[in-house]
Amino acid sequence: MNNTPLLQYKNIVARYGSITALNDVSLDIYENEIVALIGANGAGKTTLLMSLFREPAIATGSILFEGTAIHHLSSHEIIKCGISVSPEGRRIFPKLTVEENLQLGAFVIKNKAQNQMQQKYIYSLFPILYDRRTQRAGTLSGGEQQMLAIGRGLMPKPRVFFLDEPSLGLAPLLVTQIFKILSEIAKAGTTLFLVEQNANHALKLAHRGYVLVNGKIELIGTGQSLLNNPTIQSAYLGKHATSI
């Protein structure tokens, strides 16, 4: 592993009005790594992920990509750097077709051949999207919409791909399928930063994990060490914590 992180969050503080959502949070993501961020509802997971896209803008601290501060850039410029996101809630465009949704994800790609090649790759990951390519996205099932959101996020061929709750609201079989595909995406060379309530699936996939509690990082470790941690097992993996 390269000693220099590809992406760094350094001493991040973020607020919603007078409420501090993130308090001195630091996190490193290395190239070709899968990093999971787990925590309960309201812990600040989505805030941390989306603070890179200024939703909300950080109050203090810095976000670095290959050592250069990027937290002041627009979303368009961040995508051009090689960072993309599949947001919580999917945010697809229901009245547009599957293919039109994918093309919206490729707006920064000027090379038509590269665009077509990436779309072909996404259809290979999600054959059902190819079958549905002329269908309006709003008529897809929940699982198909999640596949479309992931596919759209992959269209700019990101070096780092953020995924916010990709398993949310999906049946267990679909969750397993989605995580298998995420593993394939990582093996093909895309670095993944995964924000998930499904700690079991996330930590099994991840090389490393961070546990966020009330806006602060409380635990860091390999995916396996966190899975084996009694505190994590009790809080996130027990029979009463399956939705956390």
Side-chain angles (χ1 to χ4, degrees):
M1 185 185 295
N2 190 316
N3 288 331
T4 304
L6 184 60
L7 186 68
Q8 284 181 288
Y9 286 78
K10 295 183 72 174
N11 308 112
I12 299 298
V13 174
R15 300 186 180 95
Y16 294 103
S18 61
I19 299 171
T20 299
L22 298 172
N23 187 4
D24 196 30
V25 172
S26 295
L27 181 149
D28 296 335
I29 301 168
Y30 293 87
E31 194 154 22
N32 297 319
E33 191 178 35
I34 304 171
V35 173
L37 179 67
I38 66 169
N41 274 336
K45 303 187 303 297
T46 294
T47 301
L48 178 61
L49 186 152
M50 294 305 293
S51 63
L52 174 56
F53 299 92
R54 304 174 64 82
E55 297 180 24
I58 61 175
T60 61
S62 57
I63 304 174
L64 310 178
F65 184 66
E66 295 189 311
T68 300
I70 59 170
H71 53 273
H72 60 285
L73 299 179
S74 68
S75 295
H76 179 87
E77 291 169 320
I78 285 168
I79 292 169
K80 282 182 128 180
C81 286
I83 305 169
S84 184
V85 62
S86 175
E88 182 181 11
R90 300 159 193 161
R91 299 191 195 176
I92 60 165
F93 295 90
K95 293 184 179 180
L96 300 182
T97 68
V98 165
E99 195 146 298
E100 287 167 341
N101 269 270
L102 290 178
Q103 288 306 311
L104 284 174
F107 72 97
V108 298
I109 300 177
K110 303 306 179 186
N111 185 314
K112 190 173 181 181
Q114 181 187 338
N115 185 324
Q116 291 174 338
M117 190 179 301
Q118 192 66 0
Q119 184 170 289
K120 186 176 180 181
Y121 167 62
I122 290 159
Y123 285 148
S124 74
L125 290 172
F126 304 109
I128 192 66
L129 294 184
Y130 178 78
D131 296 341
R132 304 271 196 270
R133 64 191 183 280
T134 60
Q135 191 171 317
R136 284 191 178 189
T139 65
L140 301 179
S141 69
E144 291 164 354
Q145 289 185 12
Q146 184 61 66
M147 292 173 190
L148 178 57
I150 293 171
R152 183 183 59 191
L154 286 171
M155 277 300 291
K157 203 173 182 181
R159 290 178 65 192
V160 184
F161 189 25
F162 288 13
L163 297 110
D164 194 356
E165 305 286 6
S167 74
L168 189 66
L170 301 184
L173 279 176
L174 272 174
V175 173
T176 300
Q177 183 183 357
I178 290 289
F179 274 86
K180 183 179 178 182
I181 291 168
L182 292 181
S183 177
E184 292 175 19
I185 292 166
K187 286 175 183 174
T190 304
T191 301
L192 301 184
F193 181 33
L194 178 65
V195 168
E196 254 297 343
Q197 287 191 45
N198 191 322
N200 186 47
H201 274 285
L203 294 176
K204 282 181 178 177
L205 180 68
H207 298 107
R208 292 188 306 115
Y210 291 79
V211 181
L212 193 66
V213 179
N214 296 327
K216 297 190 77 170
I217 298 291
E218 294 290 346
L219 284 171
I220 305 169
T222 66
Q224 192 59 52
S225 70
L226 290 175
L227 274 172
N228 295 337
N229 185 308
T231 301
I232 299 299
Q233 291 176 354
S234 173
Y236 302 104
L237 304 176
K239 65 181 181 179
H240 298 302
T242 53
S243 64
I244 294 177

